Amino acid sequence: MSKKSLPTTRKQGKARLGDQIRSIADRLKQETDVQIKTTSRILGAAAQIAENHDRLISEVVEMVESDLNLEKQVSQKYIYTIDILKQQFKTLRDAKAHFNLKVSSWESLVNKLNTASYQTTIIQNKPQSNHTLTDNHVIKGEVNHKRIEKLIVFLEPDVAEIFPNSEAVNEGLRFLIRVTSKNSF
């Protein structure tokens, strides 16, 4: 072997080693770029989630406020006056019989009907006529020419703890309907 071939081999070895180091550095740079892009996407998704969360909270607040306003409107619908009752019923006797109350005057009837405890009873037990019970436990009837359907449902004990009455069940189901219908679009 000549002395000239030995230094050439060292130069070639150093060149190969340098190429390998550059190759490793390039791969590390590419991996770093991928990691930066991935981190950026993750942060973008997190920002989108936070924005959606804020929007959902706003929607829930709006729905609750709407429910509260609707509840106020419903309770205001059942305010009776002497004039309204006299238009609805021919005599005090007819009105007393309809509401199943013992009173001595139109004024005392109005006072009893407008008490908070009686209002709750009216709202929960709206008078119905022409009831028929079908095989699937749906009660159908008409009140003031509006068709009404009620479904008899039996709650499991753990659910009944959360929803103690039909009003709470209906409120919860309406809320669920609104949330799912808004998010389905």
Side-chain angles (χ1 to χ4, degrees), residues 11 27 39 51 57 77 93 101 112 117 119 172-173:
K11 285 181 184 179
R27 280 188 291 171
T39 303
E51 182 180 315
I57 296 247
K77 280 184 184 177
R93 178 178 286 171
L101 291 173
K112 276 196 177 186
S117 61
Q119 285 293 309
L173 290 174

Side-chain angles (χ1 to χ4, degrees), residues 51-65:
E51 182 180 315
N52 289 342
H53 179 265
D54 290 344
R55 187 172 35 96
L56 183 59
I57 296 247
S58 295
E59 287 177 10
V60 169
V61 167
E62 287 173 12
M63 285 186 272
V64 169
E65 287 174 347

Side-chain angles (χ1 to χ4, degrees), residues 123-135:
I123 292 168
Q124 290 178 354
N125 302 321
K126 292 179 184 175
Q128 297 178 1
S129 60
N130 304 327
H131 290 113
T132 55
L133 185 60
T134 62
D135 291 341

